[in-house]
Amino acid sequence: MSADPTRAELDGRLLAWMAEPDGPDDETRFARIALDLFAFQFAHCEPYRRFCEGRGVVPDGIRDWREIPPVPTGAFKELALTSFPLERAVHVFRTSGTSTSARGVIHLDTLALYEASLLPTFRRFLLPDLAPGARAHIVALAPSPADAPDSSLTHMFHVAMRELGDAESFFALGDGALDAKRVIRHLSDCEEDGPPLLLCGAAFAFVHLLDAMEAEGVALSLPPRVRVMETGGFKGRARERTRDELYGEIEARLGVPAARIVNQYGMTELGSQFYDSIFARPDEPRRKLGPPWCRVRIVDPRSGEPATRGALHVFDLANAGSVLAIQTADLGHDLGTGFEVIGREPGAEARGCSIAIDELLGRRG
């Protein structure tokens, strides 16, 4: 069987699932596609095949998706992990990293799966109150695609603005500077009525916005239709915030309480994202949830056996052109339904997104 029809059939099954209303969960469906996709990636990604064979795992020898070997994210810094000829790549995303670290790279032969996974998840967890056919107001404390063409976070915001945002949506970071005055002026004009307004960006982009507001002596009390999405960790180039500290500052300066602040968990090596559940399931405790074509396992780092707290492994079917099973460098807490991120593995690099924004803005604080 040729590679193209098999890949086309897999993509078709995934895109059909992603297009279904409310993205229904289906364990049987996930398991079948995961095993089929693993067999395809084993056959067509030589480095991954060697990796699996070294662990004694081959497609014919497993019956459960949990047996699929996850690849450490560090491998993306060393190898082109593609399940298609590299010359067919149409887009490249690179991890943010730091100024002195190697950057992981993921090559995509299509953006269709990434965008089809992104949109229903973004809407479900950030804009569930957006009426059908309506548009939200999205302000991204991030560079535009022209300034950061290889940033998966920027591309995510771009797609969200294109498909869900109104004409007033904008990127607020350009030429190495955050246009804090424009953001402050824009937010100051925010009225009670109107569509949902989403202020989003890396955690340390918010730190720089809050610094500017403090310098100007500005404090706002934004209406309930405003919500915040932050991502990327709380460590900058030369300073650090805890989540509680940052959320407290956001509430003090913007008037947006923690109950309207969503943390996103994502990474360049994944085709899907996870979000705090506060808007999707407001009557339940906060935890990370994702789309039904993803699964998360928390395992003991030494034994690989399931654990309540341990290493966080993600199985993402949207990674059809790469490797579906990813061993992150994060530690997680299994909450039964959903999970929380509780830190980084010892010796792991700090998450690069916030550090890169801090470096891009050129301030040591």
Side-chain angles (χ1 to χ4, degrees), residues 89-171:
V90 299
H91 203 91
V92 171
F93 290 138
R94 291 181 173 85
T95 58
S96 300
T98 66
S99 58
T100 59
S101 65
R103 301 175 69 189
V105 180
I106 187 164
H107 301 82
L108 302 173
D109 60 343
T110 176
L111 286 167
L113 284 171
Y114 181 88
E115 295 183 3
S117 177
L118 180 165
L119 284 165
T121 313
F122 192 97
R123 183 167 190 150
R124 176 189 175 196
F125 290 105
L126 296 173
L127 300 167
D129 51 339
L130 187 63
R135 293 269 174 168
H137 193 43
I138 302 173
V139 177
L141 308 182
S144 71
D147 291 327
D150 60 358
S151 166
S152 59
L153 184 64
T154 283
H155 186 75
M156 184 189 78
F157 292 150
H158 167 69
V159 172
M161 286 186 191
R162 185 188 73 203
E163 301 297 329
L164 303 173
D166 63 17
E168 301 299 315
S169 300
F170 66 95
F171 288 92

